Amino acid sequence: DGIVPTHMKEKDNWVRDTLFRGEELVTIDKMPNRVDAVFTRDFTTVLKDRWNTGVNLGFFVLRPSKEVFYELLTLYKTSNYSPIHGWDNKGYGPFDGSMLTKGLLTYYYHEIRPNITVELNRCKYQNMAERPMIRINKNNVQCRDAKESKEECTDCRQTAFNDIVVANSKACRSPWNCEYHDSHADSRVCKGMHQSWFQMRKDLENNSDSKYSPSHQEEGSYYPEHQGYCHGGKKGTYIPMKLAEEAG
């Protein structure tokens, strides 16, 4: 069997138009019989004059294989990389990381072994809460996903936090920066990420086997979602964890 669990096979969890080779769009209508790799795509690297994207290495699950490993080594040593057209001039680049592992895996699993991969819904698996649009000029914006119109552009910031399986705080910044995220719909994913992170810290400290001092001993005054670990909304106001022996 493939490595994709049942809950990932639901149609709203995986992307049907998964392969984007240059100008050609290859449509997949059903889940492959065997799946050796699942991934999401990273649209944060898109620029107004560079629309190519690669796999997101923050969420990339694959079936271990020595055969694939040595095939990738050979590919890296023998393939040509063009700074304009990417790997073997197939359109897999340029984008941030395209000359490195990110670009090589994108090329390999889309061009060399395209029938054993599945692209998952990036809003559920590796939600980065990124802005969905990119500004082209003073008067125009374009969806980061060039296949989508402005009206239908996927906005992962609108995803209910409880529907997210994997979250990435890149756009939201690190929780220990103590930034405030309001209740606006565009901020709810970031707010949920940070609130969840602070709650995990609190649970760790309050665990009976924890080596850290209980969270009730530290009372920050900044917004409730920070769980008492921030004195203000900027870097340097975070209250760090303390070992129980340090707290006295």
Side-chain angles (χ1 to χ4, degrees):
D1 294 334
I3 63 173
V4 179
T6 302
H7 67 89
M8 284 187 181
K9 295 182 180 179
E10 298 174 7
K11 287 191 174 181
D12 65 333
N13 286 340
W14 58 284
V15 180
R16 298 179 65 182
D17 295 336
T18 182
L19 304 185
F20 198 29
R21 303 174 184 165
E23 299 299 323
E24 178 188 3
L25 183 65
V26 181
T27 301
I28 291 179
D29 292 320
K30 62 180 181 179
M31 185 74 68
N33 292 329
R34 176 185 171 92
V35 178
D36 282 0
V38 293
F39 64 93
T40 60
R41 197 177 298 277
D42 184 3
F43 284 96
T44 64
T45 61
V46 168
L47 301 175
K48 65 179 181 180
D49 56 352
R50 200 172 71 186
W51 297 97
N52 285 348
T53 61
V55 298
N56 193 327
L57 295 183
F59 180 87
F60 194 92
V61 185
L62 53 81
R63 184 195 301 272
S65 167
K66 287 186 178 179
E67 177 187 354
V68 170
F69 175 72
Y70 288 115
E71 193 170 17
L72 283 167
L73 285 180
T74 301
L75 195 66
Y76 185 76
K77 294 176 181 178
T78 60
S79 297
N80 294 318
Y81 179 84
S82 164
I84 298 175
H85 300 295
W87 291 91
D88 279 343
N89 292 298
K90 298 286 188 178
Y92 298 97
F95 49 80
D96 188 25
S98 61
M99 194 176 179
L100 305 174
T101 305
K102 184 174 186 174
L104 181 66
L105 290 177
T106 302
Y107 172 56
Y108 180 77
Y109 281 109
H110 286 68
E111 191 71 28
I112 307 301
R113 295 200 177 206
N115 300 318
I116 57 172
T117 64
V118 169
E119 179 180 356
L120 295 179
N121 184 332
R122 72 182 191 277
C123 294
K124 291 191 174 184
Y125 298 88
Q126 193 66 0
N127 189 312
M128 302 177 75
E130 76 274 14
R131 294 177 182 272
M133 299 285 188
I134 186 170
R135 183 162 294 283
I136 304 301
N137 52 48
K138 183 178 179 180
N139 300 314
N140 294 291
V141 294
Q142 167 67 45
C143 185
R144 287 181 182 272
D145 185 344
K147 302 191 300 294
E148 298 180 347
S149 66
K150 288 191 291 185
E151 293 74 24
E152 298 177 343
C153 189
T154 299
D155 187 351
C156 292
R157 298 173 303 174
Q158 308 304 316
T159 308
F161 187 73
N162 289 339
D163 289 338
I164 298 174
V165 180
V166 180
N168 183 312
S169 64
K170 179 179 179 180
C172 302
R173 298 189 178 89
S174 302
W176 48 89
N177 285 346
C178 292
E179 296 189 24
Y180 169 65
H181 299 286
D182 59 31
S183 298
H184 190 275
D186 290 351
S187 301
R188 64 181 172 190
V189 169
C190 287
K191 186 173 183 177
M193 285 186 195
H194 286 188
Q195 188 169 0
S196 178
W197 189 89
F198 282 113
Q199 183 61 52
M200 284 190 285
R201 173 185 162 170
K202 187 175 183 178
D203 292 343
L204 172 63
E205 292 177 333
N206 286 336
N207 187 291
S208 58
D209 295 324
S210 177
K211 296 180 180 180
Y212 297 95
S213 62
S215 60
H216 64 77
Q217 294 182 7
E218 301 287 5
E219 295 295 338
S221 56
Y222 200 60
Y223 289 93
E225 57 264 29
H226 294 93
Q227 301 281 359
Y229 297 121
C230 293
H231 284 306
K234 61 181 180 180
K235 217 171 177 181
T237 61
Y238 174 68
I239 301 171
M241 299 176 73
K242 290 184 179 180
L243 291 170
E245 57 190 40
E246 294 176 353

